[in-house]
Amino acid sequence: MRPNGRHTAGASQLPALRVWAICLLLLSAVAISPTTARAAPSQSAAATTHVYLLRGVLNIFSLGLDTIGSRLQAQGVQVTVANFVSWSSLADEAAADYRAGRVKTIVLVGHSSGATALPDMIAKLNQLGVPVKLAIGLDSVFKTRLSTGAERYINIYIGDGPGEPVRAAAGLRGKLDNVDVRGTGVGHISIDKSEAIQRRVIGEIDAAIMRSRAPAGPVAEPGAPRAPRQARSAAATAPARN
């Protein structure tokens, strides 16, 4: 029996439909952002990495950092989540672990006042001779100047909100990137909880861990004079704001 012409036409269209389906899959793969497509670091590299996540004022508005921390722990990364006022003691702990060889890669992440405290923590670690591989600030709320650097510092802020770009002081060593995310629908309180922002933060951390075999960049020698900056910590002198 001769096939119905309509069925024959439908059958002839199947290869073309398959081609379109494959093209759509390829386009979807290309559309995935680099941060979501990055592979997780090896277990050995993750195990010798410590990520410090600094919450903002009152310790209740930065709970998205806890989610980031849980996801990193699932990859085998050591994580500490604490309020920003602990930055100095955390720097001492990080330095002790680095000198003892328990940690090779140090990453700092902060939200709001926690982001404002990052330059101070970096400066103290640099004074102790400890390199910082990566620092990520989420909407630092006060004008912040970076005088000593991590290998890379990423400041993600909302340009039409309370967040501020981080300024580079003269002689800054290390790469500073200010990323304005205005218009993306995130606010100061929600930026740390945004799935897209969390994916980006974790992707940047994973990439830094996979680069961890390379030196973490120049730091100040222990006891070396610091670059001029305000006499007191910006986090300590600024009014409470989150």
Side-chain angles (χ1 to χ4, degrees):
M1 181 182 293
R2 186 176 177 179
N4 183 281
R6 183 173 57 187
H7 291 173
T8 303
S12 66
Q13 290 174 1
L14 287 177
L17 290 174
R18 291 193 187 100
V19 170
W20 277 109
I22 292 170
C23 290
L24 288 173
L25 288 173
L26 291 173
L27 288 173
S28 298
V30 171
I32 296 175
S33 66
T35 54
T36 58
R38 285 174 180 154
S42 67
Q43 287 187 339
S44 59
T48 55
T49 298
H50 200 130
V51 178
Y52 292 87
L53 299 116
L54 304 184
R55 294 179 184 146
V57 171
L58 301 181
N59 220 27
I60 60 173
F61 296 113
S62 305
L63 299 184
L65 297 185
D66 295 62
T67 304
I68 294 172
S70 296
R71 292 181 177 183
L72 291 171
Q73 283 181 320
Q75 295 180 187
V77 177
Q78 301 178 63
V79 169
T80 296
V81 183
N83 188 253
F84 78 101
V85 296
S86 303
W87 68 265
S88 184
S89 61
L90 292 175
D92 289 330
E93 292 175 15
D97 286 342
Y98 183 82
R99 292 188 188 119
R102 293 186 291 268
V103 171
K104 296 180 180 178
T105 304
I106 294 173
V107 176
L108 312 179
V109 180
H111 170 236
S112 189
S113 294
T116 305
L118 291 184
D120 291 314
M121 188 169 178
I122 293 169
K124 181 168 184 177
L125 286 167
N126 285 183
Q127 279 190 323
L128 296 172
V130 179
V132 176
K133 192 74 176 178
L134 173 68
I136 303 176
L138 301 178
D139 219 32
S140 177
V141 290
F142 306 108
K143 293 186 184 298
T144 305
R145 185 175 295 274
L146 191 65
S147 58
T148 56
E151 181 179 292
R152 188 179 182 200
Y153 191 112
I154 305 172
N155 177 52
I156 302 174
Y157 72 105
I158 306 166
D160 55 357
E164 296 278 353
V166 172
R167 310 296 182 186
L172 173 67
R173 305 172 78 180
K175 184 178 180 182
L176 169 62
D177 292 322
N178 280 295
V179 180
D180 188 349
V181 293
R182 76 178 80 187
T184 60
V186 298
H188 180 68
I189 300 299
S190 65
I191 188 171
D192 61 306
K193 303 168 188 67
S194 162
E195 178 66 23
I197 296 294
Q198 289 185 359
R199 286 200 309 267
R200 173 158 190 171
V201 169
I202 293 171
E204 294 289 359
I205 292 172
D206 287 345
I209 295 173
M210 288 190 287
R211 295 195 308 268
S212 60
R213 291 185 179 181
V219 298
E221 295 295 328
R226 292 175 60 176
R229 60 178 297 152
Q230 294 179 348
R232 290 183 293 169
S233 159
T237 59
R241 181 182 176 187
N242 201 319

